[in-house]
Structures are given as C-alpha cells and as structure tokens.
C-alpha cells in the first residue's frame, strides 16, 4: 500500500511537472510565433487601418447616420480580415511547398552550376579571400543538390512559423486595426464619433509607424510620416468618392 501511494504521488508529481512545463512553454511558443509573423502583423495593421479608415470616412462624410457608417465599417473590417488571413495562409503555404519541391525535386545541373557562381561572387563581395572562395565553390560543385538548397534557404529562409500561425496573426492584427476607426460610431453621436475615430486612428498609425521604424531599424520619423501620408491619401480618396456618389 505504501508503495502504491508513493507510486501514485510520484506519477501525479510527474504529470504535474509535465503539465507545468507545457503550460510554461505556451507563452514562449506564442512569443516565438509572434516574432516570426511580425511582418504579417505590421502588414495587417497597416492594411486594416488604412483601408477601413478610408471607407469609414468616405461614408461618414456623406451621411449623418452613424448606423450606416457602423454597418459599412464593420462589414468591411471583417471581410478584409478574413481575406487577408486567407491570403497570408496561401502565401506561406506556397512558399513552403516551393521550398520543399526544390529540396526534393530533380537536380538541374546547369542551374546548380550557375548558383555556384552566384554564391562565389557573393562571398567575394563579402570579403572572403580568393583561396577560400575557390574551396567553397569546389565543394558546392560536388554537391549540386546542396547548392540549390543553400540558395533556397538564403532567398526564402524558413522563419519556423506555420502557415496557420502567419494567417492567425494577420487576421488578429487586421481585424483589430480595422475596427479601431469603426467602434466610435457604435457608441457616440455622429459629430463626436468622427472626431474620436480620427484621433484613435491617428494614434494607432503613429504607434504603427514607430513600430515599423524599430523593426526595420530605420528612421522612426520617416516611417511614421509615410504611414500617416498613406492613411491620409486613403481617407481623401474615400471622402472624394463618397461625395461624388452622394
């Protein structure tokens, strides 16, 4: 009996440790997935904010009915998020399938030889001495499949995220950004909703521009100005079309 109780405690402890490790690893997996899909997040937020911002203000400037703006904006945001999610999934899946086909397909000797020259030229430009470049080139010539695989990995490095992960982050970011300019029209009168929507969208665009600058290691001021300019252009186009049609 003592043995059974001890074994039971040991097993329950082992299960507890296993569950704890799985629970503890979940946040790290989510963070890794987010980092691998950061391009989808930035693209989704920019697309959702800019496109729905233009749509919302085009409708808001041609009607005084907040319900009409809410319906148009919410419908557009949901449809755009699903569309971008599907596009991101298909793009990631196509890249993965193309990489697998190049890795496992027949070897084109002429293409492999051309890629050896490309790699050798890149190494030379990078500062590698001629003798070492020659050794690398000779080794690659003896392994044409490895040469094609190397070029494939260099051109389209695997970020470790699945197509589903890319699609999920694209959907979340696009939906969140798309609903930002829409929600004020669900809770506020028309005049106030226009102002709050404009303020919230501007704050989101500024944050997005700062994020773009940090991720791309470029001028934050320039990235923010570009983002605001694109959104302003979309809003102007939406208002113009709304005025013409109304």
């Amino acid at each position: 009996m003592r043995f059974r109780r001890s074994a039971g405690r040991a097993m329950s402890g082992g299960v507890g440790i296993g569950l704890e490790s799985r629970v503890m690893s979940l946040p790290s997996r989510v963070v890794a997935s987010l980092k691998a899909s950061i391009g989808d997040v930035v693209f989704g937020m920019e697309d959702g904010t800019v496109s729905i911002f233009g749509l919302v203000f085009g409708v808001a400037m041609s009607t005084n009915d907040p319900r009409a703006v809410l319906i148009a904006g919410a419908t557009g945001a949901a449809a755009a998020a699903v569309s971008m999610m599907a596009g991101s999934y298909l793009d990631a899946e196509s890249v993965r399938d193309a990489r697998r086909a190049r890795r496992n397909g027949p070897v084109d000797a002429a293409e492999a030889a051309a890629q050896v020259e490309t790699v050798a030229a890149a190494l030379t430009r990078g500062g590698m001495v001629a003798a070492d470049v020659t050794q690398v080139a000779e080794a690659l010539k003896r392994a044409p499949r490895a040469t094609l695989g190397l070029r494939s990995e260099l051109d389209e490095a695997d970020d470790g995220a699945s197509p589903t992960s890319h699609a999920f982050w694209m959907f979340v970011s696009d939906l969140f950004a798309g609903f930002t300019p829409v929600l004020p029209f669900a809770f506020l009168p028309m005049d106030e909703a226009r102002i709050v929507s404009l303020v919230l969208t501007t704050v989101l665009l500024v944050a997005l521009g700062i994020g773009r600058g940090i991720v791309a290691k470029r001028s934050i001021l320039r990235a923010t100005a570009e983002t605001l300019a694109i959104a302003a252009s979309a809003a102007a186009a939406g208002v113009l079309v709304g005025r013409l049609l109304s």
Side-chain angles (χ1 to χ4, degrees), residues 54-55 57-59 61-62 233-246:
L55 170 64
F57 267 78
V59 178
M61 292 301 174
S62 60
S233 300
V239 171
L240 177 61
V241 173
R243 288 292 187 183
L244 291 175
L245 294 179
S246 63

Side-chain angles (χ1 to χ4, degrees), residues 27-28 41-42 46-47 58-59 69 81 85 89 95 106 135 142 176-177 187 211 213 216 223 234 236 245:
S28 62
V41 172
V42 172
E46 185 166 13
D47 176 81
V59 178
V69 181
M85 176 184 69
Y89 179 86
V95 170
Q135 289 183 356
R142 294 192 297 270
F176 170 77
F187 304 103
L245 294 179

Side-chain angles (χ1 to χ4, degrees), residues 15 18 32 63 72 115 160 181 207 245:
V15 172
T63 181
Q115 294 301 338
L245 294 179

Side-chain angles (χ1 to χ4, degrees), residues 192-227:
E192 295 179 17
R194 290 190 185 106
I195 297 174
V196 174
S197 176
L198 178 61
V199 171
L200 288 178
T201 303
T202 302
V203 171
L204 181 60
L205 288 169
V206 170
L208 179 59
I210 294 173
R212 287 180 58 205
I214 293 174
V215 171
K217 294 181 173 56
R218 54 181 299 194
S219 170
I220 293 178
L221 182 60
R222 180 176 179 180
T224 304
E226 288 176 350
T227 305

Side-chain angles (χ1 to χ4, degrees), residues 154-167:
L154 291 175
D155 292 340
E156 298 170 352
D158 189 357
D159 54 22
S162 66
T164 303
S165 176
H166 284 287

